Amino acid sequence: VWRARDRTLDRDVAVKLMARHVRGLASFEERFAREARAAEAVRDRHVVQVLDHGTSEDGEPYLVLELLEGESLGARLQ
């Protein structure tokens, strides 16, 4: 997951990319697409909002998500 700038909306977003070693494997690409559809279907303050998803010109699947600030899971568990 990378922090990026949406120049159209002038805000920071999170971009989730599929790991290169599983790209092209149908089962992983379908799981990535299901994740996008499932997250888009839920509108709740406890679930990150999907802003966009697709495949880049070089075939890399991506999700664009709202950028959330806060503590890491590791810090929360401690």
Side-chain angles (χ1 to χ4, degrees), residues 1-43:
V1 178
W2 299 89
R3 182 183 202 121
R5 187 76 181 167
D6 182 330
R7 292 181 288 188
T8 302
L9 299 175
D10 194 32
R11 66 177 171 179
D12 288 341
V13 295
V15 178
K16 182 176 183 178
L17 303 173
M18 180 177 286
R20 292 187 192 278
H21 69 278
V22 297
R23 196 178 328 149
L25 299 175
S27 61
F28 284 92
E29 290 195 5
E30 176 54 34
R31 191 169 102 187
F32 199 80
R34 274 196 318 267
E35 177 184 346
R37 288 190 302 270
E40 286 177 331
V42 177
R43 297 286 181 226

